[in-house]
Amino acid sequence: MSTSTAASPRKNATKATKATRQDNPDSSPLPGQVFSTRPMAGDAIYERILGAIMEHRLTPGTKLVEEKLAGIFGVNRTRVREVLARLAHEGLIATIPNRGAFVASPTPEEARNIFAARRLVEPALLRHLCENTRPEHIAQLRAHVEEEARARASNDRRAIIRLSGEFHIRIADMVDNPVMSKMMRELASLTCLIIVLYDSPTVPACTHDEHGEIIDAIAEGRTEDAVATMLEHLHHIEAVLDMSTPQGEDEDLEAMLGMV
């Protein structure tokens, strides 16, 4: 005669918990939290770090310690390593053997190369958008510029530079080409790093009216005017930068990521 042994309720609960964590590895609580706030998935961690870079909360040269990031986001180091590899592939993170990962610090030559790439890419994006623009595109761009104006009114420098970069990304997204969107996102993010490194203390790199002039030209079908204004805009940003060697800072990584 065969016999069967019933599992205890506690063992069943333990098995269920393990199964849940295997099915959904993000179900563990964040460090220091008792309840079930989910740790961030890889894409969310990527967006958090990218946002901190674009808002200048993570400054060039900041060391990104895998163990510390894993604790901040409530994930294992493997997930953090994957995100850092993605950012390194985009040029936003520099990995130095035996030292670790750091927010990139583009050299003056690299900065000039990035602006040169933008002067090749963005006129092509504008020409395509001017040929295929829709009323909702103009409305979205004008709403974005209004958000920039509010940031300027409140003198929120971090938001000003982030929104300025996002304006160019929005144009790329409207072209509806994922490859171009990815390229523009990377170039805009790198430009934010360059601005925080080399922005002149007396002259702001971003002016308040150039984006509006670009939108006007797009709305009125003045393609070459839009392109000329964009090129002037990029030349202006590059021209006012002070390409001297920056000094890195040692700051609170958790605070810079907006996790406190």
Side-chain angles (χ1 to χ4, degrees):
M1 183 176 73
S2 63
T3 60
S4 61
T5 305
S8 70
R10 184 172 183 176
K11 288 182 178 179
N12 285 336
T14 300
K15 289 179 180 178
T17 300
K18 289 180 178 179
T20 300
R21 287 178 179 168
Q22 288 170 353
D23 294 338
N24 181 9
D26 290 340
S27 60
S28 303
L30 287 169
Q33 293 180 318
V34 176
F35 300 106
S36 60
T37 301
R38 294 174 183 271
M40 291 185 175
D43 284 348
I45 295 171
Y46 168 86
E47 292 293 341
R48 175 75 71 168
I49 295 175
L50 179 64
I53 290 172
M54 292 190 73
E55 290 192 347
H56 296 178
R57 287 179 283 115
L58 275 178
T59 55
T62 301
K63 187 172 185 179
L64 302 175
V65 182
E66 287 182 7
E67 185 175 3
K68 187 169 185 178
L69 288 170
I72 290 170
F73 293 117
V75 298
N76 58 41
R77 292 178 64 179
T78 299
R79 182 168 295 173
V80 169
R81 197 171 298 124
E82 291 169 351
V83 172
L84 294 182
R86 179 179 173 185
L87 290 163
H89 178 72
E90 296 175 1
L92 296 170
I93 298 295
T95 303
I96 302 175
N98 301 319
R99 289 190 59 199
F102 299 80
V103 178
S105 298
T107 66
E109 182 181 5
E110 289 169 337
R112 285 188 283 270
N113 287 338
I114 288 163
F115 279 105
R118 292 188 64 168
R119 286 192 288 270
L120 292 173
V121 170
E122 297 197 59
L125 291 171
L126 273 179
R127 287 191 175 97
H128 189 283
L129 181 59
C130 286
E131 292 172 4
N132 300 276
T133 190
R134 300 194 299 269
E136 57 266 31
H137 291 153
I138 303 302
Q140 290 167 14
L141 290 174
R142 292 202 189 282
H144 187 89
V145 169
E146 288 175 3
E147 190 175 354
E148 289 185 60
R150 288 192 292 272
R152 291 180 188 283
S154 60
N155 199 28
D156 187 345
R157 185 166 178 77
R158 289 175 174 175
I160 291 167
I161 297 175
R162 173 180 57 81
L163 289 166
S164 179
E166 288 177 357
F167 174 82
H168 298 264
I169 296 169
R170 280 182 176 271
I171 288 175
D173 289 343
M174 289 171 183
V175 172
D176 198 23
N177 182 323
V179 175
M180 297 300 288
S181 291
K182 180 176 183 295
M183 184 184 302
M184 192 65 248
R185 185 182 183 93
E186 293 172 11
L187 289 171
S189 300
L190 286 166
T191 302
C192 284
L193 281 177
I194 292 165
I195 290 173
V196 74
L197 274 169
Y198 300 118
D199 200 5
S200 169
T202 58
V203 181
C206 300
T207 60
H208 68 281
D209 56 349
E210 291 172 341
H211 288 172
E213 292 174 6
I214 292 168
I215 297 169
D216 290 342
I218 296 171
E220 295 166 11
R222 295 184 284 110
T223 301
E224 294 311 312
D225 285 348
V227 169
T229 304
M230 177 65 79
L231 290 174
E232 183 181 349
H233 177 54
L234 295 172
H235 277 297
H236 171 260
I237 295 172
E238 183 177 7
V240 300
L241 296 176
D242 176 13
M243 298 288 188
S244 58
T245 304
Q247 298 295 322
E249 298 180 5
D250 183 15
E251 300 185 42
D252 183 351
L253 181 58
E254 189 169 7
M256 287 187 287
L257 288 165
M259 299 299 289
V260 293

